[in-house]
Amino acid sequence: MNAPFSARDSWRIVGWNPNRQVIDTDDVYRLVILALPGFSQLGLSSFVDPLRLANSISGRSSFEWTIASPDGQPVECASGFILSVGSNFADTGECIQSGKGPSMVIVCAGEPVQKQMSTSLTKILRLCKRHGVPIAALGTATWLLAESGLLDDTACTIHWDKRAALSEKFGRLQVIDQLFVRDPHLLTCAGEFASFDLVMELISERLGRDIALAVCRHTTAGHWRPASDRQSTINAGETGICKALVDVIRIMEEHIEDPLPLRYIAKCVGRSQRQIERLFQQSITSSPMRFYLHLRLSRAKRLIEQTELPVVEIAIACGFASASHFSKCFRQAFGANPSACRS
């Protein structure tokens, strides 16, 4: 249920301790969801709907939540749907400052995240840190936590489309390829369907595995994935793609800045160069090195579109020895110069 609450409400803050073995049966876990314009409806729904189902299945309101927008007005998601809200960022900050809640703050953002840091959001994040209120960032919202300085020298994750840009923009971050990364007070999640995996962990820890499994059955999900699972853009289960080819592509993705020769990649996966070439031709109709080049150029394009890094720095970050060679390859791949793509 969407249960709005204010600073006048009284409850005990319940932190999310991953190591806790005792399941709370009395306390209501209250969440504030900070929805920024352009947020992912899929990521938000994947997180909230399991909470509603957990309440229904358990027969009690174990979870309550309210949604806040920057100004308290309805907020539009990336798909164009308008979401009604129960609060604004200023009131949420006052609620946290009063020491009366919530149990967790969820930040939900979308594609335009680089321009969405505000004074009111910064205040909320700092108040959460001061009062020990856990923060979870769904999808691209990890970027906002990084801007606020909360993630310095901390392992985190973000949706794969923003991972390269986040790593280049905030060099001190340990950005890893996982569905979600957690500690007692900071959680970062890849968003989209990974939001479901994250919230299922919360439900399991607070209400028990049986309730969590019942939620899974209701959603026809069957199971939820562990945090350590990778955000894979290609899976061995896909038609025509064998595990060896998936392993090769993952090695390429992990070595964008320092491209590896095919002979070394082949050795890493226990195949010969000829075998790797045949696998690529059969499954992807491309040579391995042409595919590798496409991966590097695609990352470069995302960095150009998502950051303000100089083109020469992007070229180096994507394994090109010179800006001129990079520009030539970029034009051949996308039909335009890097600078034109940015504008």
Side-chain angles (χ1 to χ4, degrees):
M1 66 182 187
N2 185 1
F5 48 89
S6 69
R8 293 188 299 273
D9 296 327
S10 177
W11 64 75
R12 181 171 64 86
I13 295 177
V14 182
W16 185 1
N17 182 353
N19 299 315
R20 180 166 52 198
Q21 300 299 317
V22 178
I23 299 170
D24 290 320
T25 56
D26 298 323
D27 298 318
V28 175
Y29 203 82
R30 291 179 167 92
L31 305 98
V32 172
I33 299 167
L34 307 180
L36 292 157
F39 71 91
S40 166
Q41 178 68 29
L42 176 60
L44 180 59
S45 296
S46 296
F47 188 90
V48 172
D49 267 10
L51 297 176
R52 175 184 61 81
L53 290 169
N55 284 346
S56 177
I57 291 168
S58 65
R60 52 193 171 87
S61 296
S62 301
F63 298 99
E64 293 181 0
W65 56 92
T66 192
I67 298 174
S69 67
D71 56 4
Q73 297 299 309
V75 60
E76 184 175 350
C77 72
S79 302
F81 293 105
I82 305 296
L83 180 70
S84 62
V85 303
S87 183
N88 59 44
F89 284 9
D91 288 345
T92 300
E94 292 177 8
C95 181
I96 296 169
Q97 195 163 17
S98 72
K100 297 180 179 179
S103 309
M104 180 183 285
V105 166
I106 315 294
V107 189
C108 192
E111 280 299 315
V113 67
Q114 289 98 322
K115 300 178 180 179
Q116 290 187 324
M117 180 55 81
S118 63
T119 301
S120 58
L121 179 58
T122 300
K123 180 179 179 180
I124 291 173
L125 297 178
R126 289 177 177 172
L127 285 170
C128 284
K129 183 177 181 180
R130 188 182 310 158
H131 291 271
V133 177
I135 305 169
L138 302 184
T140 62
T142 299
W143 191 286
L144 300 170
L145 269 60
E147 272 198 279
S148 71
L150 293 178
L151 296 178
D152 287 352
D153 301 314
T154 301
C156 64
T157 193
I158 194 170
H159 188 274
W160 65 266
D161 186 55
K162 286 278 196 283
R163 192 165 68 239
L166 184 73
S167 297
E168 294 297 328
K169 176 71 174 179
F170 304 98
R172 296 180 63 183
L173 300 190
Q174 303 171 37
V175 187
I176 58 180
D177 181 13
Q178 289 190 187
L179 296 179
F180 55 95
V181 178
R182 51 188 287 192
D183 67 26
H185 297 289
L186 284 175
L187 301 96
T188 54
C189 175
E192 310 305 80
F193 286 125
S195 300
F196 176 83
D197 303 302
L198 171 60
V199 78
M200 290 309 300
E201 289 284 335
L202 174 58
I203 293 170
S204 179
E205 289 172 1
R206 294 197 60 80
L207 301 183
R209 187 171 178 81
D210 288 345
I211 295 293
L213 289 172
V215 171
C216 270
R217 286 194 296 272
H218 191 93
T219 61
T220 71
H223 69 282
W224 66 91
R225 298 168 293 176
S228 58
D229 272 16
R230 300 176 58 144
Q231 299 176 55
S232 181
T233 56
I234 186 168
N235 295 308
E238 294 183 29
T239 303
I241 305 296
C242 67
K243 184 180 183 304
L245 190 54
V246 171
D247 291 341
V248 168
I249 293 173
R250 283 178 175 167
I251 290 171
M252 291 177 173
E253 289 176 335
E254 291 168 358
H255 292 272
I256 296 294
E257 186 171 353
D258 55 334
L260 302 174
L262 183 58
R263 65 178 182 277
Y264 183 83
I265 296 174
K267 184 178 179 180
C268 289
V269 299
R271 301 291 183 104
S272 68
Q273 286 188 222
R274 291 292 301 277
Q275 286 176 316
I276 298 300
E277 288 168 350
R278 282 198 297 270
L279 287 173
F280 269 86
Q281 196 59 45
Q282 292 168 1
S283 301
I284 304 179
T285 63
S286 170
S287 70
M289 300 318 287
R290 182 177 294 276
F291 182 85
Y292 202 173
L293 177 61
H294 176 73
L295 283 180
R296 292 161 54 206
L297 289 169
S298 294
R299 178 169 296 185
K301 188 171 185 289
R302 288 196 295 274
L303 287 174
I304 288 169
E305 293 172 342
Q306 298 173 6
T307 74
E308 297 178 356
L309 291 171
V311 171
V312 65
E313 288 187 24
I314 292 175
I316 294 171
C318 295
F320 292 90
S322 69
S324 59
H325 179 55
F326 166 64
S327 295
K328 178 182 177 181
C329 293
F330 194 94
R331 280 196 306 272
Q332 291 175 343
F334 304 113
N337 290 324
S339 56
C341 182
R342 170 166 283 170
S343 63

